[in-house]
Amino acid sequence: MPKWWIAAGPPEHWKVAFKTGKIWGVIDKKFAQWEKLSSGDYILFYVTKPVSGIIGYGIVRTKFKQDKPLWPKEEKEKRVIWPYRFEFDVEYCLPQDKWETNKVSSNYMAAAARGGFQPVKEEEAQDIIKKLTSLVKLRVSVKKAVSTHDEMKNKLVQLGKLQGFIAESEYDMDGGKLDVVWRRVERGSPTYVFEVQIGGDLYHAIGKLKHAHDLWNSNIFLVTTKNDIAKAQGLLSGTFHEIERKIRIIETEKINKLFKLKKAYKDFENQLGIR
């Protein structure tokens, strides 16, 4: 069974961790705990003052010992302070500008965080995760069947995570929202941007993708049904001719197929212990 851990550190350490490939490290005296850490375990990201709370969580992939400085203090002192490290995938993380306002904690987690890195009770961790993601989950009514549009968005987010990206839906762009984006690092611009359009306003969807490409030079994708491909191509050969060769149109059924294959591949890797 996977174990739950808490990793605590200052904001500048977490910024480096997300920027440099999602890596965390612990000091020598935490070697015994690090030894018990396994691939597939869960990590709660606790940011110390001025945030003082949990801003996300992830899954451990590999662990290793490092002899090269990574964090600013290590580079300044030209020595490794946190040699026992591990790489993780981000399952959920608040945007940096929401760390202080949307972080969550509890007396139990605050006490655990004082230890820097240590195991925590699964029920306490699950409670924190529910609170952390509650605002996102409230966007979709539990009484309402998930629409094809939302299903596509959910699958694109999961595909992004399987690819090792920080993937999220409803990403802010100049006051508007992009359906799904994949970012390589927490503070980075979107590398991949997806708009899902099942009927309706293709013009607006392509317009948002064009703006994303102009802003960040992102790879842009329109996900739509087979029936709307010709209409989309017409807009791209006319009004949006500047991005005709930049945008890729993907049928919803191909996203379903990709998700099924990718999930099966990842599950098979996990079955073999190759993560």
Side-chain angles (χ1 to χ4, degrees), residues 54-66:
I54 292 165
I55 53 93
Y57 72 105
I59 299 177
V60 176
R61 288 308 172 202
T62 59
K63 63 180 185 178
F64 54 96
K65 185 177 180 182
Q66 182 61 273

Side-chain angles (χ1 to χ4, degrees), residues 13 17 21 28 34 41 46 52 62 85 127 131 158 168 180 217 227 260:
H13 280 204
D28 287 326
W34 179 83
D41 284 356
Y46 189 100
S52 301
T62 59
R85 301 180 183 175
D127 184 57
K131 292 176 181 177
Q158 292 182 63
E168 59 187 297
V180 177
N217 196 35
N227 292 337
K260 183 178 180 180

